Amino acid sequence: MNTAVTFFSRTGNTKKIAQAIAEAACCTAQDIAAFDVQDTVDLLFIGGAIYGGALEPSLAEFIARLNPEKIGRAAVFSTSASKTRYGVAVNLIRNALKDRGIPTADDSFCCRGKFLFMGRKHPNDADLGDAKQFAVSMTGRYSQ
Ligand SMILES: Cc1cc2nc3c(=O)[nH]c(=O)nc-3n(C[C@H](O)[C@H](O)[C@H](O)COP(=O)(O)O)c2cc1C
């Protein structure tokens, strides 16, 4: 079975989480610009964040280009400067995937990411450990 990890990250927080997920899922984290949308994937992890109140446009475009016949299921992850905003990017990514006809895992992952004076030192080792657990849980459920 085939698992891939893709992400968009402006300042590196989501990239760190993507790399932890990829390590646990025994694959390589790929920036969305490097991922071939014609690849067939049983489980695709997709990560992103909020900038200026919205999802990164290139991530929305990437999801619109995914082929629903080639993706078994997507698992969404994100980083957020504020705990109160944890669900924002996750929900936008999930909704874009649903619009594209790609089933999503019920569970998702989000942790804090540093932004200006907020969330300093995040993602930290505990966040990376939690992300790895999320990856193990998702691959156990959807990729076997
Ligand atoms: C230019 C910029 C704009 C941001 N705008 C928002 C925002 O409108 N709302 C919000 O909750 N977080 C905002 N953030 C915080 C990011 O969502 C957060 O730091 C996230 O972890 C960034 O992920 P990244 O390091 O993978 O790019 C912004 C961050 C940056 C760098």
Side-chain angles (χ1 to χ4, degrees):
M1 288 288 178
N2 192 352
T3 300
V5 179
T6 58
F7 65 91
F8 177 88
S9 180
R10 274 198 206 180
T11 64
N13 298 326
T14 312
K15 182 176 181 178
K16 283 183 190 163
I17 296 302
Q19 288 170 331
I21 288 173
E23 189 184 323
C26 301
C27 62
T28 305
Q30 288 177 273
D31 187 290
I32 53 170
F35 182 77
D36 183 348
V37 292
Q38 293 311 321
D39 280 357
T40 299
V41 181
D42 299 303
L43 177 61
L44 179 66
F45 288 91
I46 301 184
I50 293 294
Y51 309 98
L55 196 60
E56 164 66 28
S58 62
L59 181 56
E61 285 159 21
F62 171 73
I63 292 170
R65 284 192 295 111
L66 288 173
N67 184 343
E69 289 174 9
K70 301 212 167 193
I71 311 290
R73 189 169 296 267
V76 176
F77 62 97
S78 177
T79 59
S80 170
S82 156
K83 269 195 175 177
T84 61
R85 308 268 297 159
Y86 266 17
V88 179
V90 164
N91 286 337
L92 288 170
I93 295 170
R94 287 167 73 104
N95 288 340
L97 287 161
K98 276 184 196 150
D99 288 348
R100 191 72 189 116
I102 297 171
T104 56
D106 289 340
D107 292 343
S108 56
F109 177 84
C110 190
C111 69
R112 296 193 75 186
K114 67 175 181 308
F115 174 52
L116 304 177
F117 58 89
M118 301 168 78
R120 269 185 268 182
K121 300 188 179 165
H122 289 275
N124 61 21
D125 286 349
D127 298 324
L128 300 181
D130 290 345
K132 287 179 185 175
Q133 273 190 8
F134 171 69
V136 169
S137 164
M138 291 296 102
T139 52
R141 206 179 301 171
Y142 297 116
S143 184
Q144 291 181 0

